[in-house]
């Protein structure tokens, strides 16, 4: 898609002078439950396509394991607790850890679901 749009309620935030929390228009990719959006506005080099897709697929597994409500709760709480730094969101750290493993040896299979389940068990919800 050309660009990932911000949600409509952002206009209301801006109307009352609240800074938008996260600019989706600058994102490369985002996953909603089982749908991965990749933006044309922030293109990745061809070599980054598979790792990006792998990273987003880890989020699909996280959604499947947690369910939508729990995923959003963990994601947003983790974001707030880390001072709104994207890279400190625990579910992102988990996904980056796995995409680093994929990058290091793309042809080497490993049990991604088992690893995701193991990571999530650390949140006290398994
Ligand atoms: Zn991510």
């Amino acid at each position: 898609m050309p660009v990932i749009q911000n949600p409509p309620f952002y206009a209301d935030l801006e109307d009352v002078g609240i800074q938008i929390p996260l600019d989706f228009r600058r994102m490369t990719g985002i996953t909603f439950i089982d749908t991965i959006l990749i933006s044309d506005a922030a293109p990745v080099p061809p070599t980054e396509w598979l790792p990006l897709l792998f990273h987003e697929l880890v989020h699909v597994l996280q959604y499947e394991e947690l369910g939508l409500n729990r995923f959003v709760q963990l994601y947003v709480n983790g974001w707030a607790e880390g001072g709104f730094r994207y890279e400190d969101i625990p579910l992102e750290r988990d996904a980056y850890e796995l995409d680093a493993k994929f990058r290091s040896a793309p042809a080497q299979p490993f049990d991604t679901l088992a690893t995701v389940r193991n990571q999530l068990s650390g949140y006290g919800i398994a």
Side-chain angles (χ1 to χ4, degrees):
M1 60 175 11
V3 67
I4 298 165
Q5 295 294 341
N6 284 324
F9 71 82
Y10 270 25
D12 299 331
L13 296 183
E14 285 173 323
D15 283 348
V16 294
I18 298 173
Q19 200 186 346
I20 60 170
L22 186 67
D23 193 351
F24 289 83
R25 293 168 300 191
R26 293 170 53 204
M27 286 184 173
T28 302
I30 191 167
T31 299
F32 295 107
I33 307 177
D34 59 359
T35 303
I36 297 169
L37 306 180
I38 305 290
S39 175
D40 293 335
V44 294
T47 53
E48 290 297 304
W49 261 106
L50 273 179
L52 173 63
L53 197 56
F54 185 90
H55 178 99
E56 299 303 330
L57 285 168
V58 169
H59 289 313
V60 172
L61 291 177
Q62 290 171 338
Y63 272 110
E64 279 183 4
E65 289 298 301
L66 295 167
L68 173 63
N69 289 341
R70 188 74 180 126
F71 178 95
V72 170
Q73 187 185 15
L74 271 180
Y75 197 94
V76 173
N77 285 350
W79 188 42
E81 282 162 14
F84 298 101
R85 282 182 305 276
Y86 166 81
E87 59 274 13
D88 287 337
I89 299 169
L91 290 176
E92 288 297 346
R93 283 200 186 153
D94 290 348
Y96 279 109
E97 189 182 308
L98 276 164
D99 87 48
K101 184 172 179 166
F102 173 75
R103 282 166 196 274
S104 70
Q108 182 69 47
F110 62 97
D111 190 339
T112 312
L113 178 59
T115 311
V116 166
R117 283 180 172 157
N118 187 45
Q119 289 172 329
L120 295 178
S121 70
Y123 298 111
I125 38 91

